[in-house]
Amino acid sequence: GKTIYPTNTGFGISYSLPIIVACLIAKKDRLLVIENPEAHLHPSAQSKLGYFLGLMANAGVKILVETHSDHFFNGIRIAIKEGVLSSEQSKIYYFRKELNKLETLIDEILINKNGSVNKYPKGFFDQFDNDLDELIGL
């Protein structure tokens, strides 16, 4: 087979490996705070990392994640749909600002047991659809 050398791996490995190790050595009820776990990862790996963190949360590790990745978010949704994580074990919050307002608004996003989302507030992982609308002229 093909030999893979460390010099041929992307930066994503060096960013995600500490996250994986921290999860694997964390004791039950330990809180891990993770910022942008999707950094430098391929979309597929982002989704798998979301799924993995769902697995770790189900094992009792408390995980707080700040992300800008819809792929990571979908990995969590898949974990819930497959029963790896219950919808009650996850809380998703979207923080947003409205034009000319100082306060930050917070929307709770609920994911049901089938992985479906109850609402998509404006600005919540909607850029792909916005871009498609622009491309087809809507």
Side-chain angles (χ1 to χ4, degrees):
K2 182 179 174 186
T3 302
I4 299 175
Y5 297 99
T7 54
N8 293 341
T9 59
F11 286 112
I13 296 293
S14 63
Y15 282 89
S16 58
L17 190 57
I19 294 169
I20 294 167
V21 171
C23 286
L24 292 174
I25 65 173
K27 294 183 176 15
K28 188 175 180 185
D29 294 326
R30 171 71 56 98
L31 175 64
L32 292 178
V33 179
I34 304 168
E35 180 182 13
N36 297 319
E38 70 273 8
H40 303 288
L41 291 177
H42 184 276
S44 159
Q46 293 176 31
S47 178
K48 286 177 178 50
L49 188 57
Y51 185 93
F52 172 75
L53 291 180
L55 251 164
M56 295 294 95
N58 188 44
V61 179
K62 294 178 181 176
I63 303 172
L64 177 64
V65 176
E66 184 267 335
T67 185
H68 298 275
S69 170
D70 51 345
H71 306 294
F72 179 88
F73 175 64
N74 287 336
I76 297 289
R77 293 174 60 199
I78 292 167
I80 291 171
K81 181 178 181 181
E82 292 183 0
V84 168
L85 179 69
S86 73
S87 57
E88 294 78 24
Q89 290 175 296
S90 68
K91 298 287 182 192
I92 310 293
Y93 296 100
Y94 175 57
F95 295 78
R96 62 186 168 91
K97 301 285 267 179
E98 288 189 356
L99 191 62
N100 300 320
K101 291 191 178 179
L102 293 176
E103 74 219 70
T104 298
L105 302 172
I106 303 170
D107 295 301
E108 183 174 4
I109 310 299
L110 302 174
I111 303 171
N112 71 22
K113 66 181 180 177
N114 297 319
S116 296
V117 177
N118 69 325
K119 64 181 172 181
Y120 278 89
K122 184 173 175 30
F124 181 73
F125 296 135
D126 60 0
Q127 192 58 48
F128 184 82
D129 291 336
N130 293 342
D131 290 345
L132 283 180
D133 290 348
E134 181 75 22
L135 286 167
I136 61 174
L138 291 178

